[in-house]
Amino acid sequence: MTRNLPRHRLSIALGAGALLLAGCAGTAPAAEPPASSSPAADGHGSVAGAAQVDEPPLQLVSIDEDGAVGVLDLLDGTAVELGEIGAPTAVATDGRYVFATTEAGVEIVDSGTWTWDHVDHFHYYRADPRLVGTLEGSGTAAVSTGPLATAGATGIFLGADAVLLDNKALSNGEIVETLRLDAGSADGVIAPLGAGALVSEADADGRVQSLRFVTAEGDQAEAETPCVDAEGTITTRVGLVVGCADGAVLATVDRGEPVFERIPYPEGTTAERATAFDGRKGRPTIAALAGERGFWLLDTRERAWRLVETEAPLLRVAAVDDADGHVVALDAEGRVRVYLAETGAEIGASEPLLPQTLADADALAGVSLTVDAQRAYVNAPREGVVHEIAYADGARVARSLETPTAPAFVAEVGR
């Protein structure tokens, strides 16, 4: 279901993994230590019933306003409808699962496609997609994903509950909570780190003041670090990032113990703080909106922020973190714009791609921007398509894709 030319099959390994892991037997060692990796699973990410394939099995999961779920294969164009969940209000993904917030709580879709990152090479898998089930709760979920789809955990902050789900169980179609805590606040985070998680802690007034490491069994360790108004998490090649009012915390693991580093905003900078991070999966540099001034770049290897000011107000931004340093953004006119991280120069812009959507605040809430090693994807819910953008070619629209269900919400998977 496509318009224009089909996307060529990918024969290179996309940089779509997460943290550094020990390589397979006979491969070169990782270039840097596994900062906050999840426990590795046997079989390099394989599970029963999955087939290993030769290239990244990239797909789009689409969910319409009423909850009908579909999957579109980006390589061969095949499409299937999986069934229905509740009407979604938000979605998140780790590159395999889609976590949809509905009235029932968080409903989980398994795309059946994923990538296992071994740094110098990757393993790719396909299995049958399915609707897994529901993590019951109320409110908008804050989902924090780890580096691997078949190992470690996924953190979901729902209502005032901080929940940790076992990824190995998810890969077998089961929702297993390894941890559920009352965080004492309706706002906060729980993010997987090593064999446990970072959980936000609130004061008597319900304002988040710090992050504490908690084991998967719920034991609170002494490891704690200040983080006022924690909001926004992402796992990078280097470690786990949590946004704070005055910057970010970078959390890693050393010999099984959590290590915290504070990365404050540049002194004298008055731009709005980052509250959501995005970038190509498994890369060290990530991006976040800086209010109407432009966007932040956070280099987790260098432990440094950089503010890039833009003329156009932006709605979404994601760092590709490739050799050329592409940063892809969606502006308030519905154009995709491409910048260079090193200079902040704009090197391309599309025509407006979703003008109808921008006039509808409810539809705009579902608009997402995803980047991989070659393409970016932006869904236009009212226009009924997903635009595939060749960002390295002046923000050229490579394809406009028709998904099996209306793309009110879209997630790119197989990464």
Side-chain angles (χ1 to χ4, degrees), residues 260-288:
F260 303 125
E261 297 178 72
R262 301 191 58 75
I263 309 177
Y265 288 118
E267 189 173 349
T269 304
T270 58
E272 290 185 27
R273 60 162 291 190
T275 57
F277 303 95
D278 206 354
R280 182 157 60 104
K281 186 176 178 181
R283 300 298 302 160
T285 300
I286 51 179

Short mmCIF file of all heavy atoms in Angstrom, two decimals, residues 260-288:
data_model
loop_
_atom_site.label_atom_id
_atom_site.label_comp_id
_atom_site.label_asym_id
_atom_site.label_seq_id
_atom_site.Cartn_x
_atom_site.Cartn_y
_atom_site.Cartn_z
N PHE A 260 25.92 7.82 39.17
CA PHE A 260 25.16 8.97 38.71
C PHE A 260 26.10 10.12 38.35
O PHE A 260 27.02 10.44 39.10
CB PHE A 260 24.19 9.46 39.79
CG PHE A 260 23.22 8.42 40.26
CD1 PHE A 260 23.12 8.09 41.60
CD2 PHE A 260 22.41 7.75 39.36
CE1 PHE A 260 22.24 7.14 42.05
CE2 PHE A 260 21.51 6.78 39.79
CZ PHE A 260 21.43 6.48 41.14
N GLU A 261 25.84 10.74 37.20
CA GLU A 261 26.56 11.95 36.80
C GLU A 261 25.54 13.01 36.45
O GLU A 261 24.58 12.75 35.70
CB GLU A 261 27.45 11.68 35.59
CG GLU A 261 28.55 10.67 35.82
CD GLU A 261 29.36 10.43 34.56
OE1 GLU A 261 30.13 11.32 34.15
OE2 GLU A 261 29.20 9.34 33.97
N ARG A 262 25.75 14.21 36.95
CA ARG A 262 24.85 15.32 36.65
C ARG A 262 25.39 16.10 35.46
O ARG A 262 26.58 16.41 35.39
CB ARG A 262 24.70 16.23 37.86
CG ARG A 262 24.16 15.49 39.10
CD ARG A 262 23.77 16.46 40.19
NE ARG A 262 22.76 17.41 39.74
CZ ARG A 262 21.49 17.12 39.56
NH1 ARG A 262 21.05 15.90 39.79
NH2 ARG A 262 20.63 18.04 39.16
N ILE A 263 24.50 16.42 34.53
CA ILE A 263 24.88 17.21 33.36
C ILE A 263 24.01 18.47 33.37
O ILE A 263 22.88 18.48 32.88
CB ILE A 263 24.67 16.43 32.05
CG1 ILE A 263 25.33 15.05 32.13
CG2 ILE A 263 25.22 17.21 30.87
CD1 ILE A 263 25.11 14.20 30.91
N PRO A 264 24.49 19.56 33.98
CA PRO A 264 23.68 20.78 34.08
C PRO A 264 23.60 21.51 32.75
O PRO A 264 24.46 21.36 31.88
CB PRO A 264 24.45 21.62 35.11
CG PRO A 264 25.87 21.17 34.96
CD PRO A 264 25.81 19.70 34.62
N TYR A 265 22.55 22.31 32.59
CA TYR A 265 22.45 23.16 31.41
C TYR A 265 23.59 24.18 31.40
O TYR A 265 24.12 24.54 32.47
CB TYR A 265 21.11 23.90 31.39
CG TYR A 265 19.94 23.01 31.08
CD1 TYR A 265 18.91 22.83 32.02
CD2 TYR A 265 19.83 22.35 29.86
CE1 TYR A 265 17.82 22.02 31.74
CE2 TYR A 265 18.75 21.53 29.58
CZ TYR A 265 17.75 21.37 30.52
OH TYR A 265 16.68 20.56 30.24
N PRO A 266 23.97 24.67 30.21
CA PRO A 266 25.04 25.68 30.15
C PRO A 266 24.68 26.90 30.98
O PRO A 266 23.53 27.37 30.98
CB PRO A 266 25.11 26.02 28.66
CG PRO A 266 24.56 24.81 27.97
CD PRO A 266 23.50 24.27 28.88
N GLU A 267 25.64 27.42 31.70
CA GLU A 267 25.41 28.57 32.57
C GLU A 267 24.94 29.77 31.75
O GLU A 267 25.49 30.08 30.69
CB GLU A 267 26.69 28.92 33.31
CG GLU A 267 26.52 29.95 34.40
CD GLU A 267 27.77 30.15 35.22
OE1 GLU A 267 28.71 29.33 35.08
OE2 GLU A 267 27.81 31.12 36.00
N GLY A 268 23.90 30.43 32.23
CA GLY A 268 23.40 31.63 31.57
C GLY A 268 22.38 31.36 30.48
O GLY A 268 21.82 32.30 29.92
N THR A 269 22.10 30.10 30.15
CA THR A 269 21.13 29.78 29.10
C THR A 269 19.72 29.85 29.68
O THR A 269 19.44 29.31 30.75
CB THR A 269 21.38 28.37 28.53
OG1 THR A 269 22.72 28.30 28.06
CG2 THR A 269 20.43 28.09 27.39
N THR A 270 18.82 30.51 28.94
CA THR A 270 17.47 30.73 29.46
C THR A 270 16.40 29.97 28.68
O THR A 270 15.22 30.20 28.90
CB THR A 270 17.13 32.23 29.42
OG1 THR A 270 17.25 32.71 28.07
CG2 THR A 270 18.05 33.02 30.33
N ALA A 271 16.77 29.10 27.78
CA ALA A 271 15.79 28.34 27.01
C ALA A 271 15.03 27.38 27.92
O ALA A 271 15.51 26.99 28.99
CB ALA A 271 16.48 27.57 25.90
N GLU A 272 13.83 27.01 27.49
CA GLU A 272 13.04 26.07 28.26
C GLU A 272 13.76 24.73 28.37
O GLU A 272 14.48 24.32 27.47
CB GLU A 272 11.67 25.86 27.60
CG GLU A 272 10.75 27.06 27.71
CD GLU A 272 9.37 26.76 27.14
OE1 GLU A 272 8.96 25.57 27.15
OE2 GLU A 272 8.71 27.71 26.67
N ARG A 273 13.54 24.05 29.47
CA ARG A 273 14.19 22.77 29.73
C ARG A 273 13.65 21.68 28.80
O ARG A 273 12.58 21.79 28.22
CB ARG A 273 13.95 22.33 31.17
CG ARG A 273 12.48 22.15 31.53
CD ARG A 273 12.27 21.32 32.78
NE ARG A 273 12.63 19.92 32.60
CZ ARG A 273 12.35 18.97 33.48
NH1 ARG A 273 11.72 19.27 34.60
NH2 ARG A 273 12.70 17.71 33.25
N ALA A 274 14.42 20.61 28.68
CA ALA A 274 14.00 19.44 27.91
C ALA A 274 13.09 18.58 28.77
O ALA A 274 13.40 18.29 29.92
CB ALA A 274 15.23 18.64 27.48
N THR A 275 11.96 18.18 28.20
CA THR A 275 11.03 17.30 28.92
C THR A 275 10.78 15.99 28.18
O THR A 275 10.08 15.12 28.70
CB THR A 275 9.68 18.00 29.15
OG1 THR A 275 9.14 18.40 27.90
CG2 THR A 275 9.86 19.21 30.05
N ALA A 276 11.30 15.86 26.97
CA ALA A 276 11.17 14.62 26.20
C ALA A 276 12.36 14.53 25.26
O ALA A 276 12.69 15.51 24.58
CB ALA A 276 9.86 14.59 25.42
N PHE A 277 12.99 13.37 25.21
CA PHE A 277 14.18 13.16 24.39
C PHE A 277 13.87 12.19 23.26
O PHE A 277 13.07 11.27 23.42
CB PHE A 277 15.33 12.58 25.23
CG PHE A 277 15.70 13.42 26.42
CD1 PHE A 277 15.18 13.15 27.67
CD2 PHE A 277 16.58 14.48 26.28
CE1 PHE A 277 15.52 13.92 28.77
CE2 PHE A 277 16.93 15.26 27.38
CZ PHE A 277 16.40 14.98 28.62
N ASP A 278 14.56 12.38 22.12
CA ASP A 278 14.36 11.45 21.02
C ASP A 278 15.62 11.40 20.16
O ASP A 278 16.39 12.37 20.09
CB ASP A 278 13.17 11.86 20.16
CG ASP A 278 12.55 10.68 19.43
OD1 ASP A 278 13.11 9.56 19.51
OD2 ASP A 278 11.51 10.87 18.78
N GLY A 279 15.80 10.27 19.51
CA GLY A 279 16.95 10.09 18.63
C GLY A 279 16.96 8.69 18.06
O GLY A 279 16.11 7.86 18.41
N ARG A 280 17.92 8.43 17.19
CA ARG A 280 18.05 7.09 16.62
C ARG A 280 18.43 6.12 17.74
O ARG A 280 19.32 6.40 18.54
CB ARG A 280 19.11 7.11 15.52
CG ARG A 280 19.29 5.77 14.82
CD ARG A 280 19.88 5.95 13.44
NE ARG A 280 21.19 6.60 13.45
CZ ARG A 280 22.34 5.96 13.26
NH1 ARG A 280 22.35 4.65 13.07
NH2 ARG A 280 23.48 6.62 13.24
N LYS A 281 17.78 5.00 17.76
CA LYS A 281 17.93 4.06 18.86
C LYS A 281 19.38 3.61 19.02
O LYS A 281 20.05 3.25 18.05
CB LYS A 281 17.04 2.84 18.65
CG LYS A 281 17.03 1.89 19.83
CD LYS A 281 16.05 0.76 19.62
CE LYS A 281 16.10 -0.19 20.82
NZ LYS A 281 15.19 -1.33 20.65
N GLY A 282 19.87 3.69 20.26
CA GLY A 282 21.19 3.20 20.56
C GLY A 282 22.33 4.16 20.28
O GLY A 282 23.49 3.78 20.41
N ARG A 283 22.05 5.41 19.94
CA ARG A 283 23.11 6.38 19.67
C ARG A 283 23.37 7.23 20.91
O ARG A 283 22.50 7.38 21.76
CB ARG A 283 22.74 7.26 18.48
CG ARG A 283 22.51 6.48 17.20
CD ARG A 283 23.76 5.75 16.78
NE ARG A 283 24.86 6.69 16.58
CZ ARG A 283 26.14 6.38 16.59
NH1 ARG A 283 26.52 5.13 16.82
NH2 ARG A 283 27.08 7.29 16.38
N PRO A 284 24.55 7.85 21.03
CA PRO A 284 24.86 8.61 22.23
C PRO A 284 24.27 10.02 22.27
O PRO A 284 24.08 10.58 23.35
CB PRO A 284 26.39 8.66 22.24
CG PRO A 284 26.78 8.49 20.81
CD PRO A 284 25.75 7.58 20.21
N THR A 285 24.01 10.63 21.11
CA THR A 285 23.50 12.00 21.08
C THR A 285 22.00 12.01 20.85
O THR A 285 21.50 11.32 19.95
CB THR A 285 24.19 12.83 19.98
OG1 THR A 285 25.60 12.86 20.25
CG2 THR A 285 23.66 14.26 19.96
N ILE A 286 21.28 12.78 21.66
CA ILE A 286 19.82 12.85 21.60
C ILE A 286 19.39 14.30 21.51
O ILE A 286 20.17 15.22 21.77
CB ILE A 286 19.20 12.17 22.83
CG1 ILE A 286 19.82 12.73 24.12
CG2 ILE A 286 19.37 10.66 22.76
CD1 ILE A 286 19.26 12.15 25.40
N ALA A 287 18.14 14.51 21.12
CA ALA A 287 17.62 15.86 20.94
C ALA A 287 16.35 16.04 21.77
O ALA A 287 15.67 15.08 22.12
CB ALA A 287 17.33 16.13 19.47
N ALA A 288 16.04 17.31 22.06
CA ALA A 288 14.82 17.66 22.78
C ALA A 288 14.44 19.08 22.41
O ALA A 288 15.31 19.91 22.12
CB ALA A 288 15.01 17.54 24.29
#
